Amino acid sequence: MNATQRKALTVLRLARDRKTSFVRLTFAIPADIVTGTVSVVGDFNDWTPGTHVLRRRSNGTYSAAVTVSPGSTLRFRYLGENGHWFDDPDADYVDPQGSVVQVQV
């Protein structure tokens, strides 16, 4: 998968939990571009592969979600088959250390 394909196909969604002050951040990739296992790793899971594996959804995506505090700044990357790391072009920005999203709702 090249950078142009990822740009068109990755999705980050934020939703505030009405019962708590936390925010649910969902990472999603369309199923037709996923080959094998993909997980999202970042500072929210101590960069541990396999903690947040993207699962197939009925809407045609693979996704995983994390719950974080509003105002958080999160750094993350996706880890695919054979140790293939890739960034999310839908992040607020991408630098040499990965994708960054600032949780503002």
Side-chain angles (χ1 to χ4, degrees), residues 39-42 45-53 79 85:
S39 59
V40 60
V41 294
N45 62 15
D46 293 323
W47 294 91
T48 306
T51 302
H52 292 95
V53 175
L79 177 59
W85 290 92

Side-chain angles (χ1 to χ4, degrees), residues 1-8 89:
M1 172 177 24
N2 65 37
T4 302
Q5 289 170 314
R6 283 193 303 271
K7 175 61 179 167

Side-chain angles (χ1 to χ4, degrees), residues 19-82:
K19 296 178 184 176
T20 70
S21 62
F22 293 103
V23 175
R24 181 178 176 92
L25 174 60
T26 302
F27 305 89
I29 300 174
D32 61 346
I33 65 165
V34 174
T35 55
T37 302
V38 175
S39 59
V40 60
V41 294
D43 48 20
F44 50 84
N45 62 15
D46 293 323
W47 294 91
T48 306
T51 302
H52 292 95
V53 175
L54 279 65
R55 306 278 184 221
R56 186 175 179 90
R57 307 297 177 197
S58 61
N59 67 357
T61 66
Y62 276 76
S63 68
V66 297
T67 302
V68 297
S69 298
S72 299
T73 298
L74 304 174
R75 184 174 300 282
F76 68 97
R77 297 191 81 195
Y78 295 104
L79 177 59
E81 289 290 304
N82 301 314

